[in-house]
Amino acid sequence: MSLAQTEEAAPGPRDRLNFIAGEFVAGSGEPFENRSPVDGRLLGVVAHAGEDDVERAVSAARDALSGDWAGLTIDQRVEILHNIADGITARFDAFLDAEVADTGKPRSLASHIDIPRGAANFRIFADVIKNAGSEFFTMATPDGSGAINYALRSPKGVIGVICPWNLPLLLMTWKVGPALAAGNTVVVKPSEETPSTATLLGEVMNAAGVPKGVYNVVHGFGPGSTGEFLTRHPGIDAITFTGETVTGEAIMREAARGVRDISFELGGKNAALVFADCDMDKAVEGTLRSAFANCGQVCLGTERLYVERPVFDEFTARLKAGAQALKLGAPEHADTGMGPLISAVHRDKVLGYYERAAREGARTVTGGGVPEMAPPLNGGFWVEPTIWTGLPETSPVIREEIFGPCCHIAPFDTEDEAVALANDTDYGLAGVVWTENLTRAHRVAPKLRAGIIWINCWFLRDLRTPFGGMGKSGIGREGGLHSLEFYTETSNVCVKL
Ligand code: NAD
C-alpha cells in the first residue's frame, strides 16, 4: 500500500507518519489502513515503523537527552511546556477533527474532555515541576559537627510510552507531559487504531521549541511489531503503558531485561454501589455516563452495579429509560449520545459477551444486539447500550472486562454484602458509591479495593491526585508529584559540616 492518499481516503497524511528527530517520516514496515469506526470508510494509511525506525527514534531520544534539552533551566522547560499546551489549544479544531475521525466518539465529548485535557496535561506538569520542592534533613554525627542531606531529582532517561485507543491524546499526554517536565525524552507508540493526534502533536512540538529528538512517535502494532521492538530496546530506560492487563504482562517480561522500571495503567471491572439513601436523579445520571460514555470504552467505566433491594426496581427502570433515550449517531450531530466501538474486532469481542450473557440466562433489560443504522453508518461498528440482570457472580460477563456499553445490575441487602461484591474481582481500578449518608460514604470508601473511589460523582479528576489501579489494574501511581516519582531518579547527597 502506498503512503500517497487513495481516492477514497480523507486528507491529512502527515497525521499518520512517524515523527523521528523532529521530522515526519515513513517507515520500513508495510503501511496499514486507518478506518473510520463510524462507517468503515478509509481515512488514510499509516506509516509502519520497523525495527530500524524504532532504532533511529530511540537514538534520537538518547542524543536529545544529553543535548540542548538537558541544558535548559527549569524555567525554560516550563515555558516550552506551556507553549505546547498553547499550541494544542491554538489547533483545537485540527486535534478535534483528528481524534473524532479516528475514534468515532461524539464531538461534544471530545471537545469537552479529550482535547482540553491534552493541553491541561502539559500545564499541570509544568506547574508541578516548577513548584516541586526539595527535602533537607539535618543529622547528628559522632564528632558533633553534624551533616545535612538533600535529595536531587534527575530525569530517568528515554521513556517508552505505549498508548491505547480509547482516549488517545488525553492518555498519551498524561504521560508525555510529566516525562518532559522532568527532563526525559520519549518515544511514543500510539495505538494502531488511533494514530493521528500523536503525530499531529509533532507539529506542535516543533513550533513550541522542543529540541529535535525529545518527542518521537513510531506507528505500528504490538507483538512482533513496533510495540515489541520498542519495549525490548535496551536504549529505553523505563516504560509507561496504558492498555489491557494481558498486554501489560507481555511488556513486563520485556522490561525485565535490564531491570527497567514500569508504570502500568491497565484494565478494570469496576463496581458502583447504589444505596437506597442515594439521590436517585444523580445516581441514574452518573451511572448513565459511567456505563455508556465513549460507548463504554473507558477503563474507569462501570460494568458491575449493585443496588440496594428497596430501590432496585426503580433504579433499573430509570437506567433502562436513560439507556433507551441515548441517541446513537454520527459524531458531528449535537444530539448524538453514543458513537460506535473502535473496530470490527472489538465489536465482535463485545458481541461475544452479549451472546454469552443470553446463553447463561441473563434477563436483558435493554439492548443486547446490533442497532439498525442507516447507510453509510451501517458500515460502522455499532452495538446497543445493554443492561442485564440475573447472572451469577461467577459468569465471565461479570468477571472479565468487556469494554463496551454494557453493565449488569444485581441487588444487595446489606452494606457489608455490597462491599464484598464490589471487591470480588481480580481488578481494582475504580469504584463509585451513591449515598447521601456522609458517614456511610466515608465508612465504605476505605473498604473498597480500588485506586480511585468516587462518592456521588464519576470521572471528576484533579490532576494533582494519585491515579492508578490495584491488582490486575496496574502498577504504580501517576498524577501530580506521584508522576515525578516514576519519571525521575532521586539521589541523596550527604554533606558533612
Ligand atoms: P491493548 O493492550 O490492546 O493495546 C495498547 C497498546 O499496546 C497499543 O498501542 C498496542 O499496539 C500495544 N501493544 C499490544 N501488544 C503489545 C506488546 N506485546 N508489546 C508492546 N506493545 C503492545 O489495549 P487497547 O485495546 O488499546 O486499550 C483498551 C485497554 O486499555 C482496556 O483494557 C482498558 O481498560 C485499558 N485502559 C486502561 C486505562 C487506565 O488508566 N487504567 C485507561 C485506558 C484504557
Side-chain angles (χ1 to χ4, degrees), residues 435-451:
T435 176
E436 291 296 302
N437 178 333
L438 190 66
T439 306
R440 187 203 295 284
H442 286 296
R443 189 169 57 226
V444 168
K447 292 182 186 161
L448 292 179
R449 205 177 159 279

Side-chain angles (χ1 to χ4, degrees), residues 158-325:
V158 179
I159 311 290
V161 181
I162 304 198
C163 308
W165 42 259
N166 60 328
L167 298 157
L169 181 72
L170 186 160
L171 290 171
M172 185 262 292
T173 52
W174 173 240
K175 294 170 177 306
V176 171
L180 298 198
N184 300 283
T185 59
V186 297
V187 181
V188 175
K189 211 297 277 174
S191 168
E192 52 274 34
E193 304 289 353
T194 52
S196 302
T197 44
T199 309
L200 193 53
L201 190 61
E203 294 182 12
V204 169
M205 292 283 178
N206 281 348
V210 176
K212 290 186 187 316
V214 169
Y215 172 81
N216 305 275
V217 179
V218 286
H219 290 296
F221 301 87
S225 174
T226 321
E228 188 181 323
F229 300 151
L230 185 61
T231 52
R232 73 165 183 231
H233 197 295
I236 295 291
D237 297 300
I239 301 164
T240 178
F241 166 70
T242 303
E244 284 195 46
T245 301
V246 62
T247 310
E249 287 174 356
I251 292 177
M252 205 167 173
R253 281 193 287 274
E254 293 298 339
R257 299 168 193 237
V259 209
R260 289 159 313 150
D261 203 359
I262 49 169
S263 174
F264 281 178
E265 294 176 350
L266 308 176
K269 188 71 183 178
N270 311 304
L273 304 181
V274 180
F275 287 92
D277 55 20
C278 73
D279 176 323
M280 185 60 79
D281 290 346
K282 278 193 221 158
V284 170
E285 186 276 332
T287 307
L288 280 170
R289 288 194 302 117
S290 74
F292 304 123
N294 209 31
C295 200
Q297 301 166 120
V298 182
C299 56
L300 303 162
T302 304
E303 291 191 359
R304 296 183 297 139
L305 273 151
Y306 300 102
V307 181
E308 202 166 359
R309 204 173 298 272
V311 294
F312 181 83
D313 288 343
E314 182 193 352
F315 180 86
T316 305
R318 289 187 60 179
L319 198 71
K320 171 185 176 179
Q324 289 179 342

Side-chain angles (χ1 to χ4, degrees), residues 139-147 496:
M139 66 183 281
T141 55
D143 63 3
S145 62
K496 175 93 171 20

Side-chain angles (χ1 to χ4, degrees), residues 72-95:
L72 297 183
T73 63
I74 294 264
D75 281 348
Q76 289 168 324
R77 216 156 64 209
V78 162
E79 195 181 330
I80 288 179
L81 290 173
H82 279 291
N83 289 346
I84 300 169
D86 292 344
I88 294 173
T89 307
R91 304 195 59 189
F92 193 93
D93 286 346
F95 277 98

